[in-house]
Amino acid sequence: MLKVGLTGGIGAGKSAVAQRLVARGAVLIDADRLAREVVAAGTDGQAAVVEAFGPAVLGPDGELDRPALGARVFGDEAARRRLESIIHPRVRARTAELTAAAARDAIVVNDIPLLVETGLAASYHLVVVVDADRETRVRRLVETRGMSAEQAASRIAAQADDAVRRDAADVVLTNDGGLDELDALVERLWQDRLRPYEKNLRLGRHAPADGVLRVVPPDPTWPRQAQRVIDRIRHALAPQLGGDADVAHIGSTAVPGLPAKDLLDLMLAVPTLAEADRLAAALGAAGLPRRAGDWYDNARGLPGRTWPKRLHGSADPGRPVNLHVRVTGSPGWRFALLMRDHLRAVPAARDAYAQAKREWAAQHRDVEGYAEAKEPWFDAEAAAADAWAQASGWQPPRS
């Protein structure tokens, strides 16, 4: 099933987005509601809180006296962490139960106010952040929650910085307008991205491409976009590799200032192709299913004309990715890292490649023709990069 993390600062409109996703068929798991349920009267969570903070945090109705509990942990970092150590594992366990109970074709939306602060982004196929400017958020909190402007500003300041939250987002829904505008944004997200992503994920296929060549100007956010996917890969492979997956951002989008197709090239290094095959199911479940067929790297003059690899593609229609799974030490593995580092280090080489890209793009409107036209250049780049490596003492880095 597709797992979506939904977050946003107080007053941004996260709950309104959650309601609209539910109306379209999403399964909603509300972290705030679960945090209350796991410490409700009669639960072991409540018993643990009372044991940790004393009977004074228990109200006459048998429920937690939240103002009293808040007073105990406010400004006390150790107390706050102790409370979180009671609540968070129980919320995670209940979330896992509810997720497992959802239908196989469900789009499960986890509404988590502290998703970024708790480092959970990599555990979701997609992170959606609801954003609004601070003045709008303050006004909403004053009008809908009875806060003073000073109280609202203080609550906003106590949360994660908006830029940090946006940095973790695959999708940012800007909610500065009315509810009709927000509804249109949610509808577009649902129809254009979430539904096809879920179907691709369930069928184990990458999102189809139209085959039309589009070389775009360099995007300074490409490295951050790549890092979000890398974090998901490492999270997905942690049970097998213990968080030690060797994943690198390669290709043109990894070279600052270089125009490229808006396609992230990543590389997972493995000791053998048998290991690559062992990891394929976990990568597919993380949204990167294996692409059918036999895939090879050009050995670029080394013994053997080609070198086998595995190739995975993104099921997310909004973020094309090619994940090359290569054997550590193979010619393709070395050349991918060497070319990236050579173009990063030698601006003249990068600029020559950029000019060649523009010429190939003018001559070819399809991806296949463009790729074929590049092969002679790659042969020359392999020789130039090898010379640079010898002169500079370059060695393949480990990500």
Side-chain angles (χ1 to χ4, degrees):
M1 65 192 69
L2 183 69
K3 294 183 289 185
V4 178
L6 174 66
T7 193
I10 186 170
K14 173 175 57 65
S15 296
V17 170
Q19 293 167 8
R20 281 154 178 76
L21 289 171
V22 169
R24 286 164 170 81
V27 174
L28 180 65
I29 300 176
D30 187 328
D32 275 348
R33 179 177 297 176
L34 295 185
R36 293 190 294 271
E37 289 179 0
V38 299
V39 292
T43 63
D44 70 323
Q46 186 192 80
V49 172
V50 173
E51 181 180 357
F53 297 99
V57 300
L58 200 60
D61 60 353
E63 299 289 351
L64 288 178
D65 182 340
R66 294 186 178 278
L69 180 59
R72 289 293 305 273
V73 303
F74 182 77
D76 186 334
E77 181 72 10
R80 181 181 64 82
R81 290 189 179 278
R82 190 172 185 185
L83 179 61
E84 290 174 347
S85 73
I86 296 169
I87 294 176
H88 289 180
R90 289 170 171 82
V91 170
R92 286 195 293 269
R94 184 60 180 145
T95 297
E97 291 175 2
L98 293 172
T99 301
R104 182 169 175 266
D105 62 350
I107 297 173
V108 179
V109 176
N110 284 71
D111 181 343
I112 307 179
L114 299 181
L115 184 150
V116 175
E117 293 89 331
T118 52
L120 294 174
S123 63
Y124 296 96
H125 294 106
L126 201 72
V127 170
V128 177
V129 169
V130 186
D131 196 22
D133 67 63
R134 294 177 71 86
E135 291 75 15
T136 299
R137 292 163 64 189
V138 168
R139 175 176 53 78
R140 287 173 181 161
L141 293 174
V142 170
E143 293 175 354
T144 64
R145 303 199 191 183
M147 297 183 187
S148 68
E150 292 75 18
Q151 289 171 328
S154 178
R155 290 288 298 276
I156 291 171
Q159 294 185 329
D161 182 84
D162 292 342
V164 173
R165 197 180 288 111
R166 286 191 294 268
D167 193 50
D170 301 290
V171 177
V172 176
L173 297 180
T174 302
N175 182 29
D176 290 332
L179 291 179
D180 288 345
E181 294 175 42
L182 181 64
D183 196 68
L185 291 174
V186 174
E187 175 68 11
R188 192 175 308 123
L189 171 66
W190 182 262
Q191 297 294 347
D192 295 349
R193 195 156 186 180
L194 299 186
R195 286 189 64 189
Y197 194 171
E198 182 283 318
K199 186 173 184 179
N200 292 336
L201 186 67
R202 175 164 37 90
L203 297 178
R205 68 186 186 190
H206 62 88
D210 60 15
V212 177
L213 176 67
R214 299 179 184 87
V215 175
V216 299
D219 183 343
T221 72
W222 277 333
R224 181 59 197 137
Q225 293 182 51
Q227 189 60 52
R228 287 199 294 269
V229 182
I230 289 171
D231 291 343
R232 287 191 177 104
I233 292 169
R234 288 179 173 150
H235 177 83
L237 299 183
Q240 294 96 328
L241 303 180
D244 199 34
D246 185 1
V247 193
H249 183 197
I250 58 170
S252 294
T253 60
V255 181
L258 190 61
K261 301 187 296 295
D262 189 17
L263 168 71
L264 300 178
D265 280 293
L266 307 177
M267 182 169 69
L268 170 63
V270 292
T272 65
L273 287 182
E275 176 76 351
D277 295 337
R278 186 177 75 87
L279 300 175
L283 291 171
L288 292 160
R290 182 172 165 179
R291 298 185 64 167
D294 296 324
W295 300 89
Y296 298 90
D297 287 317
N298 185 321
R300 306 289 168 198
L302 295 176
R305 291 176 52 220
T306 60
W307 201 275
K309 66 177 178 180
R310 304 291 185 257
L311 185 64
H312 291 245
S314 175
D316 178 4
R319 179 62 275 168
V321 175
N322 275 339
L323 174 63
H324 307 259
V325 187
R326 294 180 167 119
V327 173
T328 303
S330 68
W333 170 86
R334 180 182 183 275
F335 181 61
L337 296 171
L338 173 58
M339 176 180 166
R340 179 198 66 184
D341 292 354
H342 177 230
L343 295 179
R344 284 176 174 177
V346 183
R350 178 203 63 199
D351 294 344
Y353 187 28
Q355 179 59 34
K357 279 173 170 279
R358 286 188 282 268
E359 294 172 1
W360 298 324
Q363 297 166 5
H364 303 278
R365 297 301 179 187
D366 63 295
V367 174
E368 290 76 12
Y370 176 82
E372 185 176 347
K374 292 196 297 184
E375 281 303 304
W377 184 90
F378 275 111
D379 289 335
E381 165 61 14
D386 271 329
W388 171 79
Q390 292 177 19
S392 65
W394 177 88
Q395 293 295 324
R398 192 187 189 282
S399 60

